[in-house]
Amino acid sequence: MKRSSSPSGSNSRASLLPIRVQDTSRAGLYTPQAIERSKLSISKYTGGSEGKNSFSVKRTSGSGASRNSPWGFFTGTEKLKDPRPLHDKTYIQQCIRQLCEFLVENGYAQNVSVKSLQTPSTKDFFRIFAFIYAFLCPSYELPDSKIEEEIPKVFKELGYPFPLPKSSMYTVGVPHVWPQVAAALVWLIDCIKIYSVMRGNADVLVDAQCWSGEGEDEIVVNKLFMEYTEKCYDHFMNGGDAFEEMDAELQAKLNKVFKVDHSKMKTLEAENKKLNEEIARLERERENEPDRLETLRKLKASLQADVEKYQAYITNLESHSAVLDQKLHSLTEACEESELEVEMMKQENARLQHTVDNQLYTAVDIERINHEKDELQQTINKLTKELETERQQLWAEELKYARGKESIEAHLDDYHRLARKLKLIPAAMENSRGHDFEIKFNPEDGPHSLDKYRRQINVPLMQIIDETEEAIRKASHKKIILEDSLEKLNVMIAEKKSIIKLLKEEAQKLDDHHQQTLKVAEEEEEKSAAELQALEIHKNLIEAGVHEGLKEAMNELHEIQKKHQIAVRTTNEEKMQLLDKLYCVLEIVAFHVGSVEVKNESWKSHL
């Protein structure tokens, strides 16, 4: 049978065969080293190089299998709700501290502190972002223009799950904007830390992969073992059950690989024989002295306990010696440091004495310098206060700007809501007449945007208003005509109401006549009802008499039927009795006729 050329084919063929019992008699064909290496290398074998089949397990994750994208969590268009407590001051202070620690630890060029990061300026934010992003992209530099659009784009490309609006880049230090930006910077710092850890572990992974390689002898043994397995399998598939030739060939190749010397085989056999005799002797001694093993075990246990005690004692001595050495080393270092400090103090005293001896300034000059220093310090304090005042004014202006922006957006929302209600937006609505009345607010456009929207909206809106007023005038004229028609109708309705009143009076008279007629009819109906009631009573009396007579007749009929049944029963009984008697009489008559005929025959014969 031809051997299959694909691993899947051989596996499917093998799955249909019964499990073969392993022949343990061939275990002596392998050296211990070959058996160990074969066991270790079977799981690592990936196939031979000379057109051999691979017996490795087929991977299930092929090129056609779909893989989940690592960024698949944030690829949708739906905006995710930020679960972080950005309105919590404690959380924001923690983010600011993390940002400050990262900048200080990594050598940020500017002086930063937790206080300065409470309300940073836009330029400070740009510099901080460039410094942090340089850890991921060392060649990155801030662009000269459109920085506000660049930073949200970078965060989006890095996979930041929450949107950063472009308008927030203009006022970073605003209280309702800075928490979002600070949280985004902390997220970027966490990404850098994870990236650093992954880069640090890359060398370890490479070293681990280098240690997992196979030696040259293992590769040769694996190839021999796979060739042996293939030949045995082909032989088995062709119907053979004996594998002595393949075993002998494998043994010869293994002897050649491991350089087995046949001349030493006899010596090894002799040593093996001696060892077997020694084992037999020890077995006999064990049988003769069954308690010797227990005694040796107890002795071994006691010796092990002594060894453990000595080891614990030696460990204690070593630890005590280490403590003493450490104390001695610390004392030595303290002495050396003290000597260095004394020497440095001497040098410092000499330097100070030389400075005092050679100084150029007098006491008056020093006092004047100190006075100037105090004045400069006061000027600095004054400028610092003015700077704080300016910052507070800037803060107030920014708040005023934010409130004005919010009010403008609210007015725009009201305008858009009213325009949608009037069906003016979008441009496809019926009242817009093809004009775009929607206002798209953008602070970057400046005050010229008002003129633009005034030109865009005012003219068509005034045209629509004029047309609407013309329609209103036409409707008002039509309303006046309809009001005149309504007055005429009201006059006609009044005339009809007077006619209806006369008709109602006539109807009232007819109703009174009808009521009188109804009273006469009711009196006649009452008389008829009384007569009918009397007739009903008479009828009931007659029916009661008829029912009583019928009941008596029915009772009599039942009695007569009972008597009839009794008479029929007695008649039947009598009839049966008469029939029985008639049968008896007929039998007697027949017997008598027969006897008479017999006698007549006898008489005739005598005559």
Side-chain angles (χ1 to χ4, degrees):
M1 183 183 293
K2 187 176 179 180
R3 180 166 56 89
S4 175
S5 61
S6 64
S8 61
S10 60
N11 289 336
S12 62
R13 172 67 181 174
S15 63
L16 299 173
L17 296 174
I19 299 174
R20 303 299 295 266
V21 179
Q22 185 179 2
D23 191 359
T24 57
S25 63
R26 301 188 184 91
L29 297 175
Y30 305 96
T31 62
Q33 294 87 353
I35 292 171
E36 265 183 33
R37 291 176 181 176
S38 299
K39 289 179 179 178
L40 292 172
S41 61
I42 286 171
S43 61
K44 296 188 286 183
Y45 185 76
T46 58
S49 60
E50 300 176 358
K52 303 296 181 182
N53 288 336
S54 173
F55 286 82
S56 60
V57 178
K58 186 178 180 181
R59 297 183 182 272
T60 57
S61 59
S63 60
S66 60
R67 296 179 180 272
N68 290 329
S69 171
W71 310 106
F73 297 102
F74 311 115
T75 56
T77 58
E78 183 181 357
K79 291 185 179 180
L80 296 177
K81 185 179 181 182
D82 197 341
R84 298 171 295 183
L86 298 180
H87 299 288
D88 188 1
K89 294 183 179 179
T90 305
Y91 176 75
I92 300 303
Q93 293 299 321
Q94 182 180 357
C95 293
I96 293 172
R97 282 196 295 272
Q98 291 180 5
L99 180 60
C100 183
E101 290 173 0
F102 180 81
L103 295 175
V104 173
E105 290 174 359
N106 292 278
Y108 183 57
Q110 304 293 330
N111 291 327
V112 292
S113 63
V114 176
K115 185 177 180 181
S116 64
L117 291 176
Q118 296 294 330
T119 55
S121 62
T122 305
K123 292 182 179 179
D124 293 337
F125 167 69
F126 291 157
R127 286 195 289 268
I128 291 170
F129 172 77
F131 175 77
I132 295 173
Y133 187 62
F135 286 92
L136 295 176
C137 183
S139 62
Y140 178 77
E141 292 182 359
L142 285 173
D144 296 333
S145 62
K146 295 185 179 180
I147 306 175
E148 295 81 4
E149 298 178 1
E150 178 70 17
I151 293 175
K153 183 179 178 182
V154 171
F155 273 102
K156 186 176 181 181
E157 290 176 352
L158 289 175
Y160 186 62
F162 310 110
L164 279 178
K166 185 175 65 175
S167 60
S168 64
M169 298 293 106
Y170 294 95
T171 56
V172 175
V174 177
H176 66 275
V177 176
W178 174 238
Q180 299 179 3
V181 179
L185 291 175
V186 171
W187 177 86
L188 185 59
I189 291 171
D190 294 338
C191 291
I192 292 169
K193 292 179 181 178
I194 294 169
Y195 175 68
S196 302
V197 172
M198 292 174 67
R199 289 187 61 186
N201 293 335
D203 299 333
V204 178
L205 294 173
V206 172
D207 295 338
Q209 290 176 357
C210 294
W211 280 102
S212 64
E214 296 181 348
E216 185 177 356
D217 294 338
E218 291 183 2
I219 295 172
V220 174
V221 170
N222 288 336
K223 291 174 69 175
L224 292 176
F225 179 74
M226 294 307 299
E227 290 175 359
Y228 168 75
T229 304
E230 290 178 2
K231 290 179 181 179
C232 291
Y233 184 74
D234 290 339
H235 185 64
F236 173 78
M237 294 298 292
N238 290 325
D241 289 327
F243 305 96
E244 286 78 7
E245 295 180 2
M246 280 71 80
D247 294 342
E249 183 181 356
L250 179 63
Q251 185 176 4
K253 289 181 180 180
L254 290 174
N255 291 335
K256 184 178 179 181
V257 170
F258 293 103
K259 298 178 181 179
V260 178
D261 191 0
H262 292 283
S263 61
K264 295 181 181 180
M265 292 294 292
K266 294 181 179 180
T267 305
L268 293 174
E269 289 177 357
E271 291 180 358
N272 189 21
K273 185 177 180 182
K274 289 180 182 180
L275 292 173
N276 289 330
E277 291 176 355
E278 183 69 19
I279 290 169
R281 184 180 63 78
L282 293 174
E283 288 289 337
R284 287 194 298 273
E285 289 180 359
R286 185 176 66 82
E287 292 176 357
N288 295 329
E289 298 181 5
D291 297 334
R292 183 180 178 185
L293 180 60
E294 189 67 26
T295 304
L296 292 175
R297 286 177 179 173
K298 291 180 180 179
L299 180 62
K300 180 182 177 183
S302 63
L303 292 174
Q304 286 180 349
D306 294 337
V307 169
E308 290 176 357
K309 289 179 182 178
Y310 279 114
Q311 287 179 351
Y313 181 67
I314 290 169
T315 305
N316 291 330
L317 288 177
E318 290 177 351
S319 61
H320 185 63
S321 176
V323 171
L324 293 176
D325 292 338
Q326 187 176 1
K327 288 182 179 179
L328 179 62
H329 183 67
S330 62
L331 290 173
T332 305
E333 290 181 351
C335 291
E336 292 177 355
E337 290 176 357
S338 299
E339 291 175 357
L340 291 173
E341 287 178 358
V342 169
E343 187 66 27
M344 291 174 65
M345 291 295 292
K346 287 180 180 180
Q347 294 177 1
E348 183 68 18
N349 288 332
R351 187 182 64 78
L352 292 174
Q353 186 64 37
H354 183 267
T355 303
V356 169
D357 294 337
N358 297 327
Q359 67 180 356
L360 300 176
Y361 297 100
T362 62
V364 176
D365 296 332
I366 293 171
E367 185 176 357
R368 180 176 55 78
I369 291 169
N370 290 331
H371 182 67
E372 291 178 356
K373 181 182 177 182
D374 294 336
E375 290 179 352
L376 291 173
Q377 186 65 37
Q378 291 176 1
T379 304
I380 290 169
N381 293 333
K382 183 178 178 182
L383 293 174
T384 304
K385 290 180 180 179
E386 291 178 356
L387 179 62
E388 289 294 331
T389 305
E390 292 295 331
R391 283 184 177 176
Q392 290 179 359
Q393 291 178 358
L394 179 61
W395 173 259
E397 290 295 331
E398 288 178 350
L399 287 177
K400 184 178 179 181
Y401 170 75
R403 292 193 186 98
K405 182 181 176 183
E406 290 177 357
S407 64
I408 289 170
E409 290 177 351
H411 287 308
L412 284 177
D413 291 338
D414 294 337
Y415 167 74
H416 288 152
R417 193 180 303 108
L418 181 60
R420 289 189 183 92
K421 187 175 181 181
L422 296 174
K423 298 181 180 181
L424 294 175
I425 57 173
M429 296 302 290
E430 56 184 2
N431 293 336
S432 64
R433 300 181 183 178
H435 299 288
D436 186 9
F437 291 100
E438 187 174 0
I439 298 175
K440 298 177 181 178
F441 176 68
N442 189 359
E444 297 178 359
D445 295 340
H448 299 292
S449 60
L450 296 175
D451 297 333
K452 174 186 173 183
Y453 285 117
R454 191 174 289 111
R455 289 192 303 271
Q456 178 183 347
I457 296 173
N458 196 10
V459 175
L461 188 61
M462 292 301 297
Q463 183 179 357
I464 292 172
I465 289 172
D466 293 338
E467 293 176 357
T468 307
E469 288 178 351
E470 183 65 25
I472 291 170
R473 281 196 297 272
K474 291 179 181 179
S476 300
H477 181 67
K478 189 175 181 180
K479 179 183 177 184
I480 292 169
I481 295 171
L482 293 173
E483 286 178 351
D484 293 337
S485 301
L486 182 62
E487 289 179 358
K488 292 178 182 179
L489 288 174
N490 289 330
V491 172
M492 293 174 66
I493 289 168
E495 292 176 355
K496 296 293 181 184
K497 282 182 178 179
S498 62
I499 295 170
I500 290 169
K501 187 177 181 181
L502 295 174
L503 293 174
K504 282 183 178 179
E505 291 176 355
E506 292 180 359
Q508 185 67 31
K509 292 178 181 179
L510 292 173
D511 286 336
D512 294 337
H513 180 69
H514 179 66
Q515 290 294 332
Q516 292 177 358
T517 307
L518 285 176
K519 285 181 181 180
V520 174
E522 285 177 358
E523 291 176 357
E524 292 178 355
E525 186 176 356
E526 288 177 359
K527 292 179 181 180
S528 300
E531 293 177 356
L532 181 63
Q533 187 175 4
L535 292 173
E536 285 287 338
I537 293 169
H538 184 64
K539 174 188 172 184
N540 291 331
L541 292 174
I542 293 171
E543 285 180 352
V546 170
H547 282 302
E548 288 179 358
L550 180 62
K551 187 176 181 181
E552 292 177 356
M554 290 298 292
N555 291 330
E556 291 178 358
L557 178 62
H558 285 304
E559 290 178 357
I560 292 169
Q561 285 179 351
K562 288 179 181 178
K563 292 178 179 180
H564 175 69
Q565 289 176 358
I566 293 169
V568 168
R569 193 181 302 117
T570 53
T571 304
N572 289 331
E573 291 177 357
E574 292 176 356
K575 184 177 180 181
M576 293 299 293
Q577 292 176 1
L578 290 173
L579 288 173
D580 291 337
K581 292 179 180 180
L582 182 61
Y583 287 145
C584 292
V585 171
L586 290 174
E587 288 178 357
I588 294 169
V589 169
F591 179 73
H592 181 67
V593 169
S595 62
V596 169
E597 288 179 351
V598 170
K599 287 182 177 180
N600 288 330
E601 289 291 332
S602 63
W603 280 106
K604 285 179 180 181
S605 62
H606 288 298
L607 293 175

